[in-house]
Amino acid sequence: MAKMDRTKLDFEPLFVTLTDQSEYMDDPRMFKTYLDNFSKRLIYKFPECCAIWRIEFQKRGALHLHMIVFGVKYICRDWLAQTWTRIVDGDSRHLQAGTSIERSHGFKHTMGYCAKYVAKETDYTLDEDLKAREIGRHWGIVNRRIFYGLLGDNKS
């Protein structure tokens, strides 16, 4: 994030939170499939976007993720909620509560969000059963080519 060339951004990033449904799957690999499906739909709708994400457990045991989305001026809350609910096969309650979206208010706000949600350490206050569940890689990048272009790197 510190290497990001902010002059390449036309607008501030969006903070997106996506939560598994109330009757969540007990398989973190399935949640990764949800994330993959959502990432593909996000790129299809916004080809020039990129994002960084972080998965974590909620205290109730469900997985959810925080995402910082770059290169998108606006994501309709209804599109986000409907898309995510279809992916996780959620119900009407999940449609209302399973997602949130917020625009950053500047670079300091983005870095604060990054420190709070994306870069924080694993929450060790969780019970032992949750700590024992392996989720694999808990962070990543969506649309690497675009993301690394914002950094000025030649990676792909």
Side-chain angles (χ1 to χ4, degrees):
M1 290 294 295
K3 289 178 62 178
M4 186 168 284
D5 182 355
R6 297 187 323 248
T7 64
K8 293 182 179 182
L9 298 174
D10 293 329
F11 22 79
E12 297 297 333
L14 297 168
F15 306 143
V16 173
T17 303
L18 305 171
T19 304
D20 207 345
Q21 59 189 322
S22 58
E23 299 298 322
Y24 58 90
M25 300 294 283
D26 200 22
D27 182 2
R29 290 174 297 181
M30 181 56 74
F31 193 81
K32 292 271 183 86
T33 300
Y34 297 160
L35 169 60
D36 185 57
N37 288 339
F38 178 78
S39 297
K40 288 175 182 174
R41 292 177 192 194
L42 184 68
I43 292 170
Y44 182 79
K45 186 160 182 72
F46 305 102
E48 297 303 311
C49 82
C50 62
I52 57 174
W53 56 263
R54 165 77 193 267
I55 295 176
E56 64 183 2
F57 285 108
Q58 292 182 312
K59 289 193 185 286
R60 68 184 175 102
L63 286 166
H64 75 162
L65 72 97
H66 298 279
M67 187 178 273
I68 302 175
V69 180
F70 301 92
V72 178
K73 185 173 185 174
Y74 174 77
I75 296 177
C76 176
R77 167 81 167 74
D78 289 341
W79 177 85
L80 180 68
Q82 290 170 3
T83 300
W84 183 247
T85 299
R86 274 194 297 272
I87 289 169
V88 300
D89 201 21
D91 57 22
S92 61
R93 290 175 298 153
H94 189 262
L95 181 65
Q96 299 302 316
T99 61
S100 71
I101 188 165
E102 174 188 351
R103 168 83 55 203
S104 172
H105 300 295
F107 186 68
K108 284 185 179 181
H109 190 215
T110 302
M111 293 307 287
Y113 186 90
C114 190
K116 183 176 181 181
Y117 293 114
V118 178
K120 75 179 181 178
E121 292 194 32
T122 303
D123 185 354
Y124 290 105
T125 62
L126 298 171
D127 68 33
E128 293 302 318
D129 288 339
L130 288 180
K131 284 194 270 187
R133 286 175 46 199
E134 180 59 45
I135 62 171
R137 191 169 56 127
H138 60 273
W139 68 274
I141 299 171
V142 174
N143 213 355
R144 289 178 183 275
R145 179 184 59 82
I146 300 293
F147 184 80
Y148 287 124
L150 293 175
L151 301 180
D153 285 348
N154 293 325
K155 297 179 182 178
S156 52

